[in-house]
Amino acid sequence: RQMTVSESIIRWLYGFGDIEAGDRIETDQLDGEAGSYGLYKQPTKDVVPFVDGSRDVTEYYYLLARQSSKAEASRVDNQAWMESLESWVRQKSLSGDLPQLDGGRSCHAVGVSVSAYMSGAAESGTSEYQITVSINYTEV
């Protein structure tokens, strides 16, 4: 089976040092407890077809993280974590350390198209933090 773009991004994100080794980034799901992560594909896709049949594709994914947010210190730490993740994505893309795609696809860039923010709070004392990641690749 060919690896999906989502799976490739998730594998790449595991390289971010502040996602614990035991943590799992789920596909299209975010569990209810703190320390949960989910990567959701957005329906938006920008495609530029070429004469040779290949195409340039940009896709967008939400990365959600559920974190404890009862205390002010926790909320500040959560914002710092998301800023650090944004910086990591930017640095990795600039250095050419990109997700490995298969199936005739070659990644050119990964970026943050919507900066990190708190997207919702739960009664359990946790909050969802969200960042939108874009990936640009050529598909043959």
Side-chain angles (χ1 to χ4, degrees), residues 1 4 20 23 27 32 34-35 44 46 51 54 69 74 79 81 83 92 99 103 105 115-116 118 131 133-134:
R1 172 177 84 77
T4 67
E20 300 298 321
D23 292 338
T27 302
T44 306
D46 301 322
V51 177
S54 64
S69 60
S74 295
Q79 287 293 331
W81 183 86
E83 287 178 13
K92 289 293 187 181
R105 298 174 291 202
S115 210
M118 186 178 82
I131 187 171
V133 175
S134 63

Side-chain angles (χ1 to χ4, degrees), residues 9-79:
I9 294 170
I10 287 170
R11 284 186 179 185
W12 182 73
L13 286 169
Y14 284 136
F16 178 58
D18 286 340
I19 295 177
E20 300 298 321
D23 292 338
R24 173 144 175 77
I25 302 172
E26 297 288 338
T27 302
D28 297 332
Q29 179 175 320
L30 182 66
D31 291 336
E33 63 271 354
S36 299
Y37 304 92
L39 187 72
Y40 295 75
K41 184 176 180 181
Q42 292 183 343
T44 306
K45 180 188 274 191
D46 301 322
V47 178
V48 178
F50 298 115
V51 177
D52 66 359
S54 64
R55 56 193 203 149
D56 182 80
V57 179
T58 302
E59 293 182 349
Y60 303 89
Y61 293 81
Y62 296 129
L63 175 64
L64 275 72
R66 184 178 304 282
Q67 303 292 348
S68 176
S69 60
K70 288 181 183 179
E72 172 68 12
S74 295
R75 293 187 299 273
V76 169
D77 286 347
N78 295 339
Q79 287 293 331

